[in-house]
Amino acid sequence: MKLGDEIQDIDAPELEEVELKKRRISVYSTGALKTAAAIDRLYVNHPGFMQAIQALDRVFQIAGEFEMQQGITIEGPPGTGKTSVYRYFKRTVPASNLFAEGMGIIGVRGIKRTTVGYLIRALLKAYKYPFSSGTEAQLYARRGILIDLIREKGTKILFIDESSAMLTKTSTRSSTQHETDVTDLLREILDECGIGVVLASYGGGASLKHTDNALASRMSVRCALQEFSYDKQWHGLLHAFASQCIEYDLGFIKDRSVGKLIHEATQGNIRDLKRLLTEAVLIATDKAQLTLNAETLGKAFNEVKGRGHESPNPFD
Ligand SMILES: Nc1ncnc2c1ncn2[C@@H]1O[C@H](COP(=O)(O)OP(=O)(O)OP(=O)(O)O)[C@@H](O)[C@H]1O
Ligand SMILES: [Mg+2]
């Protein structure tokens, strides 16, 4: 059997983002798109995000120095910033002669049926290894090459995004042995290469204990990302967005009553927040408005929710 699943590249934009971008390109001017892109690229160091970045940083520093295995789990609902931890970290890793350029942290994205063959193939591809296709058995046989590559390139962190499915025990045992060996491979990598492994998922960490207790015991650091409650931290987040954004004046969102409405509109989800702000800046820039206002945020809310949505618009 040849593996047919396309590798999901963690560095490529997600499908939803691509669709969103397409719609925006057809509606807004180039100038507006340029300004709004700056907001899209902004990362804010809120406490949960910072904790995860620091955990990666620590593992990055000590990887390879100790025998002890270093594992991190990052859990959080959709849109709370799990993939962003990888993207931000990758962007900020300083160059070093200890590892090959861009190879200090390597990321792959799991799929629903992540077999050990898929994982090996995705990792070989991340290392740009030319022979990354084949059957499960052929790929399984290449795990030694993979381990050599990890060592040779000096990789310090392996980030596995969307890892839930592979960490959840399936009730029916797969027909071939290596289809259930994903966690074995991860353990092997942790033990043999002395690198840090990060598993990001919605809630896979808890089920990992049932799937593979030995791997679970190597995942010593647990980070949790959440939706924001309506409190001081939320206002802190909005302040940080406003002060970090130099391309457009977001001062309006620092107002406490505005912050409350934005929380209602986004339920404290950072993806929804970013979408709303980006859309509002697009609308405002095209109307030559120098700052945001409630009307613009209301229009942006309708746009990001899509036509015919039934959610009440907090800005009305
Ligand atoms: N700390 C942050 N500062 C600014 N923007 C952020 C931050 N964290 C996440 N975002 C933004 O929120 C959006 C969603 O983040 P991300 O894709 O990382 O979430 P996720 O937890 O991986 O979601 P999913 O489970 O759906 O994959 C992205 O547009 C990202 O830029
Ligand atoms: Mg993600």
Side-chain angles (χ1 to χ4, degrees):
M1 176 199 64
K2 198 108 171 153
L3 285 175
D5 286 319
E6 265 310 301
I7 300 285
Q8 303 285 312
D9 187 353
I10 188 174
D11 295 304
E14 285 160 44
L15 202 67
E16 226 183 322
E17 288 170 42
V18 176
E19 291 298 317
L20 190 70
K21 225 167 237 165
K22 258 198 232 155
R23 177 181 65 78
R24 284 174 174 167
I25 286 173
S26 67
V27 176
Y28 301 107
S29 70
T30 319
L33 289 165
K34 212 170 143 207
T35 308
I39 298 186
D40 201 46
R41 278 196 303 270
L42 262 188
Y43 283 110
V44 169
N45 266 331
H46 63 79
F49 193 73
M50 211 148 59
Q51 191 216 352
I53 295 290
Q54 280 168 356
L56 260 71
D57 220 15
R58 185 183 146 271
V59 166
F60 197 85
Q61 301 297 334
I62 62 174
E65 303 280 332
F66 299 101
E67 283 275 300
M68 205 172 59
Q69 294 87 9
Q70 306 292 334
I72 301 173
T73 54
I74 301 178
E75 288 185 34
T80 50
K82 301 177 295 295
T83 308
S84 299
V85 169
Y86 166 79
R87 291 192 171 156
Y88 179 82
F89 195 85
K90 179 136 191 151
R91 209 164 76 181
T92 52
V93 169
S96 156
N97 53 9
L98 294 176
F99 49 86
E101 198 189 335
M103 299 287 176
I105 175 167
I106 285 287
V108 292
R109 184 180 289 168
I111 54 165
K112 258 219 172 74
R113 286 198 31 86
T114 303
T115 59
V116 76
Y118 178 88
L119 187 58
I120 292 172
R121 196 159 64 107
L123 285 168
L124 288 175
K125 190 163 176 247
Y127 281 106
K128 301 185 174 59
Y129 184 74
F131 312 105
S132 59
S133 60
T135 62
E136 269 292 327
Q138 286 167 337
L139 286 163
Y140 189 69
R142 263 177 238 153
R143 72 190 192 292
I145 297 176
L146 173 63
I147 286 180
D148 287 348
L149 272 172
I150 295 175
R151 287 210 187 107
E152 188 190 306
K153 301 290 181 192
T155 301
K156 302 203 171 269
I157 294 184
L158 188 60
F159 190 104
I160 303 187
D161 205 7
E162 315 267 337
S163 59
S164 304
M166 62 192 233
L167 302 178
T168 316
K169 198 174 196 159
T170 43
S171 46
T172 49
R173 222 180 139 73
S174 308
S175 50
T176 53
Q177 177 57 36
H178 20 258
E179 286 194 10
T180 55
D181 280 344
V182 178
T183 56
D184 287 343
L185 176 70
L186 291 180
R187 252 191 292 132
E188 198 175 337
I189 292 175
L190 265 162
D191 293 355
E192 301 235 340
C193 307
I195 66 168
V197 170
V198 183
L199 299 176
S201 65
Y202 188 165
S207 38
L208 178 61
K209 258 203 147 76
H210 303 284
T211 325
D212 191 328
N213 212 358
L215 179 62
S217 76
R218 286 162 169 80
M219 308 305 289
S220 49
V221 184
R222 232 183 119 184
C223 301
L225 291 165
Q226 286 158 358
E227 266 127 14
F228 284 76
S229 307
Y230 179 64
D231 57 17
K232 249 177 37 201
Q233 269 194 25
W234 174 252
H235 285 292
L237 180 73
L238 297 182
H239 268 256
F241 261 109
S243 56
Q244 275 178 242
C245 181
I246 44 172
E247 289 79 5
Y248 192 85
D249 180 4
L250 291 179
F252 184 66
I253 67 171
K254 292 203 280 192
D255 185 282
R256 288 191 83 79
S257 58
V258 175
K260 189 166 192 299
L261 296 178
I262 297 179
H263 189 269
E264 262 174 61
T266 60
Q267 304 298 313
N269 182 289
I270 199 159
R271 172 179 284 146
D272 291 344
L273 170 67
K274 216 169 192 177
R275 277 199 187 148
L276 181 74
L277 292 180
T278 309
E279 199 74 31
V281 168
L282 284 165
I283 297 172
T285 312
D286 269 352
K287 285 205 294 190
Q289 262 172 238
L290 296 178
T291 58
L292 296 184
N293 58 35
E295 190 196 338
T296 313
L297 283 167
K299 280 197 177 131
F301 179 82
N302 287 335
E303 282 303 326
V304 292
K305 285 283 172 190
R307 311 236 172 268
H309 75 87
E310 283 174 5
S311 329
N313 190 329
F315 304 101
D316 278 347

